[in-house]
Amino acid sequence: PDLTGPAVISTDASGAVTGPIDHITVTFNESIDASSFTLADVAVLEGPSGPITPIAVNQVSGGEFEITFAPLNVSGNYRLVVGPNIADVGGNSMDQDADGITGELSDDQFETLFTLSAGPVYVGRFDFGTTLSPVATDYTGVTSADGYNAADGYGWLTGPVYAINRGGSDLTRDLNYMPDATFAVDVANGQYDVVVTMGEFLIAHDLMGIIIEGTQVDTVSTGAFQTVVKTYRVTVNDGQLTLRLDDQGGSNNYAIINGLDVIAVAP
């Protein structure tokens, strides 16, 4: 019979971590009885602002679990302690110190310390393409037919807009293109970094006007097989960020967009 208690062997919450984060993963050296790992077994979860209330403990695989909580993005030092009554499938409690005695209150708890650095707060991340092209991880897919509506809080205000799927990564392989069109995102008033990804796998584009909140901030040209990423800091005062893409002449008749990131700037 299995008489050896389990121990945590790794976690993604150690050393330097970039926020925001909404879960911590802990991995044991063997399969765990999921019913034995509950919120009560999260003995300590705290940060620079004090105690943090976990929301759930979810089993990812036999010995891997996620502890979830509201997103954290405050810079500072954090601490997590779990156990010692988490048991393997044989019913043995934790033996974190590997001394053969299981379930000891302090010796068999797993503790990790990490330092969180505040990361970007994405208000919106949009991957422009066709109805069939892949959508990049953590992005919202936008097609040429996605007109603005208040329920979604984003979409094309004006057009016409077209779409095509070429080649490359999930974000850069597909795009929307237009002679002149405006995309809108509902946001709270404040400052934002607007990151625009532009490029086409086969075709060069020149003299593409970038107009944000009614002001032209750039004119961009891309070569065939070239992708450029441009960042612009803007202030929104009317509750809606607008990005207008306007072909302003040259050898190609269309402006293009592959991706758009809207990042809140901390006050």
Side-chain angles (χ1 to χ4, degrees):
D2 178 11
L3 301 177
T4 302
V8 175
I9 55 173
S10 67
T11 179
D12 58 0
S14 62
V17 176
T18 300
I21 62 171
D22 60 7
H23 69 275
I24 293 173
T25 302
V26 292
T27 303
F28 293 81
N29 60 352
E30 59 178 317
S31 293
I32 297 297
D33 176 3
S35 67
S36 76
F37 194 172
T38 69
L39 290 173
D41 297 294
V42 183
V44 177
L45 181 56
E46 60 187 9
S49 302
I52 299 161
T53 301
I55 296 172
V57 175
N58 301 314
Q59 187 175 33
V60 178
S61 62
E64 184 176 336
F65 290 78
E66 287 183 349
I67 302 166
T68 65
F69 37 79
L72 303 174
N73 203 34
V74 176
S75 296
N77 296 321
Y78 290 77
R79 177 174 174 243
L80 169 70
V81 180
V82 299
N85 296 316
I86 302 166
D88 62 18
V89 292
N92 304 294
S93 296
M94 290 176 64
D95 186 14
Q96 192 67 35
D97 63 355
D99 66 353
I101 304 173
T102 63
E104 295 176 286
L105 182 57
S106 58
D107 291 348
D108 291 328
Q109 289 180 310
F110 169 76
E111 178 175 348
T112 184
L113 303 173
F114 62 98
T115 301
L116 186 71
S117 298
V121 178
Y122 292 100
V123 175
R125 308 187 82 184
F126 303 98
D127 179 2
F128 298 84
T130 70
T131 56
L132 299 178
S133 55
V135 176
T137 302
D138 296 327
Y139 282 76
T140 298
V142 177
T143 73
S144 56
D146 287 331
Y148 171 83
N149 68 78
D152 291 334
Y154 66 87
W156 291 107
L157 284 175
T158 64
V161 181
Y162 311 99
I164 197 166
N165 182 22
R166 294 290 196 191
S169 70
D170 286 350
L171 183 63
T172 62
R173 65 176 294 145
D174 48 2
L175 54 99
N176 284 181
Y177 64 100
M178 67 292 297
D180 185 356
T182 299
F183 187 78
V185 185
D186 292 343
V187 297
N189 291 344
Q191 272 198 324
Y192 296 89
D193 283 336
V194 178
V195 184
V196 183
T197 302
M198 310 171 77
E200 187 165 359
F201 191 63
L202 296 174
I203 300 173
H205 292 265
D206 52 2
L207 301 180
M208 296 181 287
I210 309 296
I211 300 101
I212 303 177
E213 288 295 280
T215 300
Q216 181 154 346
V217 296
D218 207 350
T219 302
V220 178
S221 297
T222 61
F225 303 96
Q226 179 191 21
T227 300
V228 300
V229 180
K230 297 281 190 171
T231 301
Y232 312 97
R233 179 156 295 186
V234 300
T235 300
V236 176
N237 295 311
D238 60 357
Q240 188 177 77
L241 172 71
T242 57
L243 168 66
R244 179 184 169 196
L245 302 166
D246 177 33
D247 177 72
Q248 297 182 340
S251 61
N252 186 277
N253 296 324
Y254 296 104
I256 60 173
I257 184 169
N258 308 79
L260 172 66
D261 296 79
V262 182
I263 304 169
V265 177

